[in-house]
């Protein structure tokens, strides 16, 4: 056998060995869908210093988008507006005229729809999100904390955590949070298909409660603490 044939024979043997390893080895890399395997980061945790002290009824915030797809956030107790721009990831105060001239539908986060609450709930014994008493599969964090439907009710966001469940410091603000990394995911309703990428959030709920709200066009999800003094913004894509 010539030297070239021997080299070719050895190359073929090596390729077959490698192929066999990936075929039989359960730890070999596998292709996983982007919606469950990849985590992208949300925005930074923004502080809304201009809203400090604006407590009282009705409280909360409203959302609206501009014609160039920026997100506007207005406190319900004052004409103080912030804008978030995806072009440069900037969060800044703007005048009320920009809010008034915006073209997007306004969403009051205090009243965003809760879809069919008799069908969907978080079981506080298992900390799992259930629809028709069946666990929603594919949620990244082991502790399922909260969910929020869009205004149209055709999809919902899920907040989950990878650590341990924590008891609520202030029971009237909810069931408590969790430690570890926190994630946002979006599922369609009612077929419960996972959509978009998993987003890792820049906060934990171990000591601070966060709630979520969708913009009407479903291009943004905003997580805010109980006083709306800290915000994380997700661009849904």
């Amino acid at each position: 056998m010539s030297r070239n044939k021997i080299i070719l024979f050895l190359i073929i043997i090596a390729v077959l060995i490698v192929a066999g390893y990936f075929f039989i080895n359960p730890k070999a890399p596998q292709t996983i869908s982007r919606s469950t395997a990849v985590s992208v980061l949300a925005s930074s945790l923004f502080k809304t210093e201009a809203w400090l002290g604006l407590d009282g009824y009705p409280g909360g915030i409203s959302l609206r988008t501009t014609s160039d797809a920026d997100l506007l956030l207005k406190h319900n107790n004052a004409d103080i507006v912030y804008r978030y721009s995806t072009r440069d990831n900037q969060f800044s105060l703007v005048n009320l005229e920009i809010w008034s001239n915006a073209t997007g539908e306004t969403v009051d986060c205090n009243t965003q729809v809760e879809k069919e609450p008799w069908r969907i709930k978080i079981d506080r014994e298992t900390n799992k999100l259930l629809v028709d008493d069946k666990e929603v599969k594919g949620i990244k964090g082991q502790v399922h904390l909260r969910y929020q439907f869009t205004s149209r009710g055709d999809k919902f966001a899920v907040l989950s955590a990878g650590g341990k469940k924590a008891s609520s410091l202030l029971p009237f603000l909810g069931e408590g949070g969790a430690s570890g990394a926190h994630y946002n995911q979006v599922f369609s309703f009612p077929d419960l298909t996972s959509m978009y990428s998993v987003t890792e959030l820049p906060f934990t709920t171990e000591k601070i409660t966060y709630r979520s709200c969708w913009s009407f066009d479903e291009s943004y999800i905003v997580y805010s603490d109980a006083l709306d003094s800290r915000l994380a913004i997700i661009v849904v894509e």
Side-chain angles (χ1 to χ4, degrees), residues 1-221:
M1 184 180 293
S2 69
R3 183 172 180 273
N4 288 341
K5 289 183 177 180
I6 292 174
I7 293 174
L8 179 60
F9 177 75
L10 292 175
I11 291 174
I12 292 172
I13 293 297
V15 170
L16 290 174
I17 291 173
V18 172
Y21 169 80
F22 283 103
F23 180 77
I24 65 174
N25 186 357
K27 295 183 179 180
Q30 299 177 12
T31 300
I32 305 175
S33 66
R34 184 173 184 265
S35 62
T36 58
V38 178
S39 289
V40 297
L41 292 175
S43 70
S44 303
L45 196 60
F46 298 119
K47 293 183 178 180
T48 56
E49 295 178 355
W51 288 349
L52 292 178
L54 295 178
D55 49 356
Y57 183 84
I61 60 176
S62 293
L63 308 180
R64 199 173 192 185
T65 51
T66 66
S67 58
D68 53 358
D70 287 347
L71 176 67
L72 301 177
L73 308 93
K74 178 184 173 297
H75 200 285
N76 290 335
N77 288 356
D79 292 334
I80 302 176
V81 181
Y82 282 94
R83 175 169 59 191
Y84 175 70
S85 173
T86 58
R87 294 182 297 277
D88 52 10
N89 196 35
Q90 292 298 307
F91 185 74
S92 58
L93 284 168
V94 295
N95 60 55
L96 183 62
E97 184 179 2
I98 293 178
W99 173 272
S100 301
N101 293 335
T103 56
E105 190 82 18
T106 300
V107 170
D108 183 344
C109 295
N110 289 338
T111 60
Q112 195 158 58
V113 65
E114 182 177 4
K115 182 81 171 181
E116 302 182 18
W118 61 91
R119 292 187 59 192
I120 182 168
K121 65 179 181 180
I122 294 177
D123 180 60
R124 297 305 174 183
E125 295 295 325
T126 62
N127 299 313
K128 301 301 181 185
L129 178 62
L130 307 179
V131 175
D132 296 332
D133 294 323
K134 295 181 180 179
E135 181 183 342
V136 178
K137 300 298 183 181
I139 298 177
K140 187 173 180 67
Q142 62 185 359
V143 180
H144 305 170
L145 293 167
R146 291 169 188 83
Y147 62 92
Q148 177 61 58
F149 276 90
T150 63
S151 295
R152 296 184 182 91
D154 60 341
K155 58 179 70 74
F156 59 91
V158 179
L159 174 64
S160 67
K164 295 182 178 180
K165 187 75 169 65
S167 59
S168 178
L169 297 176
L170 298 172
F172 61 88
L173 291 179
E175 294 288 340
S179 61
H182 280 51
Y183 306 99
N184 177 85
Q185 287 170 266
V186 176
F187 291 83
S188 61
F189 188 84
D191 57 342
L192 307 180
T193 300
S194 179
M195 307 172 69
Y196 316 117
S197 298
V198 179
T199 304
E200 186 171 347
L201 297 163
F203 59 78
T204 75
T205 57
E206 195 168 11
K207 296 181 179 179
I208 299 176
T209 298
Y210 281 83
R211 61 185 182 275
S212 58
C213 182
W214 288 81
S215 62
F216 186 80
D217 64 359
E218 302 178 3
S219 60
Y220 293 96
I221 302 171

